[in-house]
Amino acid sequence: AAEMAMYKAKQEGRNGLRFFAPAMQAHTQRSLELAEALKHAVQRGELHLMYQPQCALSTKRLVGVEALLRWQHPTWGMVSPAEFIPIAEQTGAIVPIGLWVMEQAVRQMREWDAVGLSGFSLAVNVSAVQFATPRLVEEFTRMVHDLNVPAERIEIELTEAVALRSPELAAATIQGLHEAGFRVSLDDFGTGYSSMSYLKRYAIGKLKIDQSFVKDLASSASDQALVTAIVRMAQSLQMTTIAEGVETQEQALFLYSCGCNEVQGYWYSPPLDAAAFADFARASLDPAGVEMPTQLP
Ligand code: C2E
Ligand code: MG
Ligand code: MG
Ligand code: MG
């Protein structure tokens, strides 16, 4: 029996596939199913947006909101964007989905505007795949024009991956968006691989400091040094900074003290549905209303 067990173990060791194949297959199978279902997610009304408030540390008030995509599948339930966005990028489904997101976000902005909620911008994530499609600037411009929302109130969040794909094309498109009035920010800053030289060439107005630098900010000297350096660099390039994933008062205090302009994270607010965001915005924009849920100097 011992011999038999050893033999089996050897066989399995030699043939690693036998050991790993089931897990890989399951992963691939789910990916394929997700990819297929994503094709119909828009028409079937399975997508919706959540809205996460962004706070200016100087005024302690709402200055922006980020639209975050959610997919509620009838049988699988909520599928995380961390799982389905990469699949949508691989299949190209992200292109129509991304257009739907922008249209939805702009419509929502107009609705809030109509009930007197203004004074903040709305950020929309645009994937590198969508960013590389032709006529993107024209499409976005037509949407804000048709819905009568100033382009200045819409911020396009890009990642460093857009520069990686094609630096020349990216530069032209970012410039086009800038000239059309849109704001452009760089998401997950510090986690990409591209050269930083694009920062001075591209019309990027804001750096979003990735949450991986924020997580241990209260205790990690190296994260404090990195964040301080990013903020200083942004300041000297006339860029705004926002820190992502801010969960605690200690993190917010450090960010305030090093000159970071804005924060986004559970500390200020989790992502909210449209109605809850409207209540949040009403309270925050009212001069006599509530400030952020804490004390800052
Ligand atoms: P992101 O653009 O960097 O968005 C920030 C993510 O951090 C969101 O995850 C948000 O829910 C989460 N978050 C916010 N505050 C906190 C916090 O205090 N702590 C922690 N740990 N996390 C926080 P979410 O909504 O799961 O989205 C994940 C990513 O999926 C986004 O990262 C973005 O890259 C992508 N994504 C979301 N919506 C869209 C979209 O409409 N289009 C595209 N292309 N990508 C999207
Ligand atoms: Mg983002
Ligand atoms: Mg981010
Ligand atoms: Mg991210």
Side-chain angles (χ1 to χ4, degrees):
E3 286 277 341
M4 196 59 204
M6 233 158 79
Y7 173 73
K8 270 191 170 164
K10 261 190 191 163
Q11 284 290 97
E12 263 159 19
R14 207 173 292 147
N15 185 2
L17 265 181
R18 263 176 66 190
F19 193 73
F20 291 108
M24 270 174 60
Q25 213 170 7
H27 174 75
T28 308
Q29 188 58 33
R30 175 160 165 99
S31 303
L32 288 172
E33 282 173 6
L34 290 177
E36 184 56 31
L38 270 172
K39 288 190 206 159
H40 315 288
V42 171
Q43 303 95 289
R44 292 180 183 166
E46 295 168 3
L47 301 179
H48 69 275
L49 297 179
M50 294 288 274
Y51 300 91
Q52 187 171 35
Q54 301 171 329
C55 166
L57 288 171
S58 62
T59 61
K60 308 175 192 177
R61 299 278 173 185
L62 178 77
V63 281
V65 56
E66 177 175 5
L68 293 164
L69 186 56
R70 296 291 177 260
W71 181 20
Q72 178 77 48
H73 187 272
T75 52
W76 300 320
M78 194 66 84
V79 186
S80 163
E83 184 176 20
F84 75 78
I85 296 281
I87 295 171
E89 285 174 334
Q90 278 165 32
T91 64
I94 194 66
V95 175
I97 289 174
L99 286 173
W100 178 87
V101 168
M102 179 60 84
E103 170 131 21
Q104 193 65 23
V106 176
R107 278 183 192 285
Q108 186 59 68
M109 197 60 156
R110 191 188 53 171
E111 274 181 39
W112 286 328
D113 201 45
V115 295
L117 295 172
S118 55
F120 56 89
S121 59
L122 172 58
V124 177
N125 293 284
V126 174
S127 104
V129 175
Q130 187 190 3
F131 196 73
T133 57
R135 303 192 49 77
L136 184 87
V137 180
E138 288 85 343
E139 296 264 24
F140 286 179
T141 305
R142 181 187 55 75
M143 282 182 199
V144 289
H145 181 264
D146 287 356
L147 294 163
N148 205 19
V149 169
E152 289 73 17
R153 294 196 63 198
I154 305 296
E155 183 175 301
I156 315 280
E157 288 194 9
L158 306 172
T159 62
E160 288 164 277
V162 306
L164 218 58
R165 284 176 77 90
S166 164
E168 296 315 313
L169 195 72
T173 308
I174 292 172
Q175 187 60 29
L177 288 170
H178 178 69
E179 281 165 14
F182 294 99
R183 307 185 201 198
V184 180
S185 63
L186 202 51
D187 204 354
D188 305 340
F189 183 73
T191 61
Y193 300 97
S194 48
S195 142
M196 282 200 285
S197 64
Y198 59 79
L199 285 182
K200 61 172 188 188
R201 289 196 288 125
Y202 295 180
I204 294 166
K206 187 192 275 189
L207 295 184
K208 299 198 74 177
I209 302 170
D210 189 69
Q211 53 188 55
S212 58
F213 303 110
V214 175
K215 199 168 156 286
D216 300 318
L217 199 52
S219 59
S220 159
S222 55
D223 284 337
Q224 292 178 355
L226 279 168
V227 167
T228 304
I230 293 172
V231 169
R232 291 217 183 110
M233 178 189 65
Q235 284 169 343
S236 57
L237 292 169
Q238 266 88 57
M239 288 176 174
T240 305
T241 45
I242 180 165
E244 298 191 87
V246 178
E247 296 184 356
T248 68
Q249 163 108 339
E250 290 69 38
Q251 293 166 341
L253 279 170
F254 180 84
L255 290 159
Y256 178 87
S257 69
C258 83
C260 182
N261 301 106
E262 300 168 10
V263 292
Q264 175 180 345
Y266 303 151
W267 174 67
Y268 187 50
S269 171
L272 304 170
D273 66 33
F277 175 77
D279 291 340
F280 186 98
R282 208 168 283 115
S284 177
L285 296 167
D286 176 358
V290 292
E291 291 188 342
M292 61 170 60
T294 188
Q295 281 81 48
L296 280 178

